[in-house]
Amino acid sequence: MTDHNQPFDEHDDQAWADILSPSRRNMLLGGGVAALAGVGLAGNAFAQQQDGGIIRPDFWPDIKREPGKSPWGYETYKEPAKRPVSVRPGEQILPTQPRKYTDIKSYHAHVYFDEDSYHKAELLRKWTVERFPVELGHWNYEPVGPHVTPSFYFGFENDIAPVVIPWLQLNSLGLTILLHPNTEDPRADHLYYALWVNRAQPVNAYNMKKPAPGQPPVEQIFINTKPTVKVEA
Ligand code: ZN
């Protein structure tokens, strides 16, 4: 197509101007080649290529497209934007009161890694379990739940949060870590109440639901590590 190192091309320039002019565009949509011929354009800037009714100027690349129909139909541009259901759980307007911070029952730390950074994740995991009583999950080598990259997780109680959070800030080794609280609303916990160490990354939590009736209302933490090292202070 257009090579910007080349000098100005009057022919191309005029053809673009013709296409972009609203009256010309309407004419193209309405009348096609016959209308073009009527105003002397056919055979000039426009080649007589017809590809499913679309007329292309001769400087457009000759891309062959398979004929077919869009599964979305051809009226998608008419669809209005609507407000999605519940931007903030349980609230359709601004809250009248701040939430109680005591709604947070515990925290999760989700440590993300990839094929280049897994040794850092391994070291951080080792340092963590040596120092803190946590619920440590398995290695996830593929996206799982709302987490879109490999990860591992540990959960911890509120009482050690004032130590764990600054400790993770200084010992992340540069890894991305999602710190989310556990309240009665997992979706909000992941999307709206999160803290991030280093860069944030997408969290696929939009469709997360509250626990079903009969389930514990808030995510539970069951400690499965015994610390052996005093936290450096
Ligand atoms: Zn979590």
Side-chain angles (χ1 to χ4, degrees), residues 108 110 147 180 190:
H108 280 182
H110 293 272
H147 310 291
H180 71 78
H190 287 80

Side-chain angles (χ1 to χ4, degrees), residues 107-110 146-147 153 178 180-182 190 208 219:
Y107 284 88
H108 280 182
H110 293 272
H147 310 291
Y153 116 93
L178 165 64
H180 71 78
N182 292 310
H190 287 80
M208 276 189 151
E219 180 96 19

Side-chain angles (χ1 to χ4, degrees), residues 68-115:
K69 284 193 172 176
S70 164
W72 311 106
Y74 293 87
E75 304 279 305
T76 41
Y77 67 94
K78 291 184 179 172
E79 293 171 4
K82 291 182 193 165
R83 189 176 197 268
V85 177
S86 181
V87 168
R88 191 151 177 160
E91 290 172 358
Q92 294 298 316
I93 55 170
L94 286 174
T96 53
Q97 290 284 324
R99 288 202 63 171
K100 301 192 297 283
Y101 77 90
T102 49
D103 287 348
I104 295 177
K105 304 306 180 191
S106 62
Y107 284 88
H108 280 182
H110 293 272
V111 179
Y112 298 115
F113 62 93
D114 61 22
E115 64 270 40

Side-chain angles (χ1 to χ4, degrees), residues 34-181:
L36 283 175
V39 295
L41 263 176
N44 182 12
F46 294 87
Q48 299 304 302
Q49 306 172 37
Q50 265 186 286
D51 179 2
I54 299 168
I55 301 162
R56 300 168 188 289
D58 57 6
F59 54 83
W60 282 16
D62 185 19
I63 298 168
K64 295 279 180 257
R65 291 190 170 83
E66 290 296 319
K69 284 193 172 176
S70 164
W72 311 106
Y74 293 87
E75 304 279 305
T76 41
Y77 67 94
K78 291 184 179 172
E79 293 171 4
K82 291 182 193 165
R83 189 176 197 268
V85 177
S86 181
V87 168
R88 191 151 177 160
E91 290 172 358
Q92 294 298 316
I93 55 170
L94 286 174
T96 53
Q97 290 284 324
R99 288 202 63 171
K100 301 192 297 283
Y101 77 90
T102 49
D103 287 348
I104 295 177
K105 304 306 180 191
S106 62
Y107 284 88
H108 280 182
H110 293 272
V111 179
Y112 298 115
F113 62 93
D114 61 22
E115 64 270 40
D116 295 320
S117 61
Y118 69 99
H119 284 308
K120 291 180 178 178
E122 189 175 41
L123 183 57
L124 176 54
R125 183 177 160 107
K126 174 174 173 289
W127 282 353
T128 300
V129 299
E130 285 173 348
R131 284 161 181 78
F132 301 108
V134 299
E135 181 182 67
L136 179 69
H138 298 296
W139 290 105
N140 295 315
Y141 293 108
E142 293 185 9
V144 62
H147 310 291
V148 301
T149 62
S151 65
F152 77 86
Y153 116 93
F154 61 91
F156 54 96
E157 306 282 7
N158 288 345
D159 59 343
I160 63 170
V163 179
V164 173
I165 293 172
W167 187 86
L168 281 174
Q169 286 180 280
L170 297 187
N171 292 291
S172 69
L173 306 173
L175 297 171
T176 290
I177 304 172
L178 165 64
L179 277 161
H180 71 78

